[in-house]
């Protein structure tokens, strides 16, 4: 295993390792960060909170030749409220999301999901963008972001592009990002009137565990409580988070009554393609996916003002 020397020198605003085995650079602009990543010849990694990357490095699973720390890049540590909604910079720690009253009010499910990640200490470092790019099917913030219709703004060597968050992870530990690309921000639109979101996960203990099954739901109601728009996402039951369009279709045009909940549970259980392991059997995961989807939908419905 390569031993990484942790002796940093500062050159102007740039910090680099002195040893040859790994370069650590803290660029100040997104253009410089993209240029460094695009021009690297070895293995390069982006460092946000480091709560996944550093654990993987310590375990010897990755040995980057270059680490590009994005925390000093201007604007990346800010949550901006725009006329369209919110832009959450890629270096904003999850703990900060809960301190933003407007974001919490508009997207309580997303904020709650981010606040389930690890512990207070982990949340002080980790980011929702890192959670997304780590590409774990069990990542807590991802089903909530998918249900919310969040988008990722990507900066890369050929300019910027914006894609739905569900298009970022393509398999466990794999993303659709090309060499040199960095997610700059996550966008959340303003919620339509009478809308609400919610996220729930099942873990065998009370905290500090990875979801065995999870569900995120976002609903919009009309003035009579009839669902006019819905998004349902399931986590930890397939190789990536699932957007269950059939579940949304079954909800639209009706109130969230017993029959609707029953149908939602059935569709969600059927949509799962889970693994069988010591943390949960396939049968258990299917059942729990249905239960969590109905509970999250009930909370989302209440938040939207439904009865
Ligand atoms: C003790 C502990 C408990 C945890 N508990 C949970 C939990 O309950 N739920 C959960 O979901 N996760 C959990 N995690 C995992 C981890 O904390 C989260 O996935 C976290 O959100 C990762 O964010 P980060 O900013 O620390 O990512 P980093 O470690 O900095 O990066 C993660 C990956 O994403 C890439 N990356 C980061 N930012 C970008 C970007 N802007 N553009 C492109 N690629 C990028 C990195 O190169 C790396 O591959 C836990 C981790 C620890 C150590």
């Amino acid at each position: 295993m390569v031993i990484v020397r942790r002796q940093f020198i500062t050159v102007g605003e740039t910090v680099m390792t002195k040893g040859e085995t790994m370069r650590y650079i803290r660029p100040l602009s997104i253009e410089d960060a993209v240029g460094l990543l695009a021009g690297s010849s070895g293995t390069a990694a982006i460092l946000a909170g480091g709560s996944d990357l550093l654990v993987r490095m310590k375990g010897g699973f990755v040995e980057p030749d270059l680490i590009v720390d994005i925390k000093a890049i201007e604007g990346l540590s800010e949550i901006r409220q725009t006329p369209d909604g919110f832009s959450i910079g890629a270096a904003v720690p999850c703990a900060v999301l809960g301190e933003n009253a407007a974001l919490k009010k508009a997207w309580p499910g997303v904020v709650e999901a981010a606040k389930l990640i690890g512990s207070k200490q982990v949340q002080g470092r980790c980011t929702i963008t890192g959670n997304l790019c780590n590409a774990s099917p069990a990542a807590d913030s991802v089903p909530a972001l998918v249900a919310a219709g969040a988008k990722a703004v990507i900066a890369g060597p050929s300019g910027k592009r914006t894609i739905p968050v569900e298009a970022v992870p393509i398999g466990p530990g794999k993303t659709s990002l090309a060499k040199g690309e960095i997610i700059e921000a996550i966008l959340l639109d303003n919620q339509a009137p009478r809308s609400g979101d919610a996220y729930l996960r099942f873990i065998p203990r009370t905290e500090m565990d990875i979801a065995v099954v999870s569900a995120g739901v976002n609903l919009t109601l009309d003035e009579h409580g009839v669902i006019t728009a819905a998004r349902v996402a399931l986590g930890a039951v397939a190789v990536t988070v699932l957007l269950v369009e059939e579940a949304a279709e079954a909800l639209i045009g009706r109130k969230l009554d017993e029959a609707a909940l029953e149908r939602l549970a059935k569709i969600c259980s059927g949509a799962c393609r889970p693994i069988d392991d010591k943390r949960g059997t396939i049968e258990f995961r299917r059942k729990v996916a249905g239960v969590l989807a109905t509970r999250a939908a009930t909370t989302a419905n209440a938040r939207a003002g439904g009865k």
Side-chain angles (χ1 to χ4, degrees), residues 46 48-53 116 118 127 129 131 133 139-140 183 201 209:
I46 297 166
S51 63
D52 279 315
L53 182 66
L116 282 174
T127 63
T129 305
N131 198 225
C133 294
D140 276 310
I183 296 187
R201 71 173 181 182
D209 205 346

Side-chain angles (χ1 to χ4, degrees), residues 45-55 70 90 116-118 122 125-127 129-131 133-134 138-140 177 181-183 201 208-210:
I46 297 166
L47 177 83
S51 63
D52 279 315
L53 182 66
L54 296 187
V55 173
I70 58 170
L116 282 174
I117 297 175
V122 174
R125 300 289 304 173
C126 73
T127 63
T129 305
N131 198 225
C133 294
N134 189 50
D140 276 310
L177 300 179
E181 287 193 323
I182 301 175
I183 296 187
R201 71 173 181 182
M208 291 289 282
D209 205 346
I210 301 299

